[in-house]
Amino acid sequence: MKAGYRYISFVFLSAALSAPAAIVTRAASQDEHRDEHRDDHHDQKRVYDRSHKDYHNWDDNEDRTYHQYFTENHREYRDYSKLNRRDQDNYWKWRHEHNDNH
Protein backbone atom coordinates (compact mmCIF):
# COMPACT_ATOMS: atom_id res chain seq x y z
CA MET A 1 0.00 0.00 0.00
CA LYS A 2 2.85 2.42 0.80
CA ALA A 3 4.27 1.84 -2.67
CA GLY A 4 0.95 2.98 -4.19
CA TYR A 5 0.99 6.20 -2.14
CA ARG A 6 4.60 6.83 -3.14
CA TYR A 7 3.72 6.35 -6.80
CA ILE A 8 0.71 8.70 -6.58
CA SER A 9 2.79 11.24 -4.64
CA PHE A 10 5.50 11.01 -7.31
CA VAL A 11 2.96 11.60 -10.10
CA PHE A 12 1.45 14.64 -8.35
CA LEU A 13 4.86 16.05 -7.48
CA SER A 14 6.02 15.62 -11.07
CA ALA A 15 2.91 17.38 -12.38
CA ALA A 16 3.30 20.20 -9.88
CA LEU A 17 6.94 20.73 -10.82
CA SER A 18 6.38 20.55 -14.57
CA ALA A 19 3.35 22.90 -14.71
CA PRO A 20 5.36 26.10 -14.08
CA ALA A 21 7.83 25.06 -16.79
CA ALA A 22 4.97 24.70 -19.27
CA ILE A 23 3.61 28.11 -18.28
CA VAL A 24 7.02 29.74 -18.66
CA THR A 25 7.48 28.09 -22.06
CA ARG A 26 4.08 29.40 -23.21
CA ALA A 27 4.86 32.92 -21.95
CA ALA A 28 8.24 32.87 -23.69
CA SER A 29 6.64 31.92 -27.02
CA GLN A 30 4.14 34.78 -26.64
CA ASP A 31 6.99 37.20 -25.92
CA GLU A 32 8.84 36.00 -29.02
CA HIS A 33 5.69 36.60 -31.10
CA ARG A 34 5.35 40.07 -29.60
CA ASP A 35 9.01 40.84 -30.34
CA GLU A 36 8.57 39.71 -33.95
CA HIS A 37 5.52 41.96 -34.23
CA ARG A 38 7.48 44.86 -32.74
CA ASP A 39 10.20 44.43 -35.34
CA ASP A 40 7.61 45.10 -38.05
CA HIS A 41 6.33 48.26 -36.33
CA HIS A 42 9.20 49.84 -34.42
CA ASP A 43 7.29 52.74 -32.87
CA GLN A 44 4.01 50.94 -32.32
CA LYS A 45 2.57 50.48 -28.84
CA ARG A 46 -0.80 49.32 -27.58
CA VAL A 47 -3.04 51.54 -25.49
CA TYR A 48 -5.99 50.25 -23.47
CA ASP A 49 -9.33 52.03 -23.78
CA ARG A 50 -10.98 51.52 -20.38
CA SER A 51 -14.44 52.72 -21.40
CA HIS A 52 -14.75 50.45 -24.43
CA LYS A 53 -12.58 47.68 -22.95
CA ASP A 54 -10.40 47.31 -26.04
CA TYR A 55 -6.87 47.97 -27.17
CA HIS A 56 -5.68 50.34 -29.87
CA ASN A 57 -2.37 50.22 -31.68
CA TRP A 58 -0.74 53.61 -31.26
CA ASP A 59 0.99 54.04 -34.60
CA ASP A 60 1.47 56.92 -37.03
CA ASN A 61 -2.19 56.77 -38.10
CA GLU A 62 -3.43 56.90 -34.51
CA ASP A 63 -1.09 59.78 -33.77
CA ARG A 64 -2.47 61.75 -36.74
CA THR A 65 -6.02 61.04 -35.57
CA TYR A 66 -5.08 62.13 -32.05
CA HIS A 67 -3.76 65.45 -33.41
CA GLN A 68 -6.98 65.83 -35.41
CA TYR A 69 -8.95 65.40 -32.17
CA PHE A 70 -7.19 68.40 -30.64
CA THR A 71 -7.63 70.48 -33.78
CA GLU A 72 -11.36 69.74 -34.08
CA ASN A 73 -11.94 70.42 -30.39
CA HIS A 74 -9.87 73.63 -30.36
CA ARG A 75 -7.67 72.38 -27.58
CA GLU A 76 -3.98 72.78 -26.97
CA TYR A 77 -2.09 69.60 -27.83
CA ARG A 78 -0.98 67.41 -24.93
CA ASP A 79 0.83 64.10 -25.05
CA TYR A 80 -1.63 61.24 -24.51
CA SER A 81 0.40 59.79 -21.63
CA LYS A 82 0.08 63.10 -19.76
CA LEU A 83 -3.71 63.26 -20.00
CA ASN A 84 -5.75 62.42 -16.95
CA ARG A 85 -8.10 59.45 -17.11
CA ARG A 86 -11.17 61.54 -17.93
CA ASP A 87 -9.46 63.23 -20.87
CA GLN A 88 -8.14 59.89 -22.15
CA ASP A 89 -11.65 58.45 -21.93
CA ASN A 90 -13.01 61.49 -23.81
CA TYR A 91 -10.49 60.92 -26.57
CA TRP A 92 -11.45 57.26 -26.97
CA LYS A 93 -15.13 58.17 -26.96
CA TRP A 94 -14.46 60.67 -29.78
CA ARG A 95 -12.22 58.11 -31.48
CA HIS A 96 -14.95 55.47 -31.58
CA GLU A 97 -17.40 58.02 -32.95
CA HIS A 98 -14.90 58.96 -35.69
CA ASN A 99 -13.68 55.48 -36.51
CA ASP A 100 -14.14 56.05 -40.26
CA ASN A 101 -11.12 58.41 -40.19
CA HIS A 102 -8.78 55.57 -39.32
Side-chain angles (χ1 to χ4, degrees), residues 39-91:
D39 289 341
D40 294 340
H41 308 284
H42 298 292
D43 296 329
Q44 190 174 75
K45 59 184 173 183
R46 290 172 48 96
V47 179
Y48 185 66
D49 173 2
R50 290 176 294 270
S51 297
H52 294 92
K53 296 178 176 56
D54 61 355
Y55 285 90
H56 298 269
N57 291 325
W58 198 278
D59 53 14
D60 291 338
N61 291 329
E62 191 66 50
D63 196 56
R64 276 192 297 276
T65 305
Y66 181 67
H67 279 81
Q68 178 184 348
Y69 167 74
F70 279 92
T71 301
E72 285 187 15
N73 290 289
H74 308 290
R75 298 184 68 195
E76 185 176 330
Y77 178 84
R78 290 188 58 212
D79 188 68
Y80 177 83
S81 64
K82 295 187 171 140
L83 296 179
N84 62 37
R85 183 178 178 155
R86 182 179 49 100
D87 288 338
Q88 288 178 350
D89 290 346
N90 285 337
Y91 169 68

Side-chain angles (χ1 to χ4, degrees), residues 16-26:
L17 292 175
S18 64
I23 292 169
V24 169
T25 302
R26 175 74 177 140

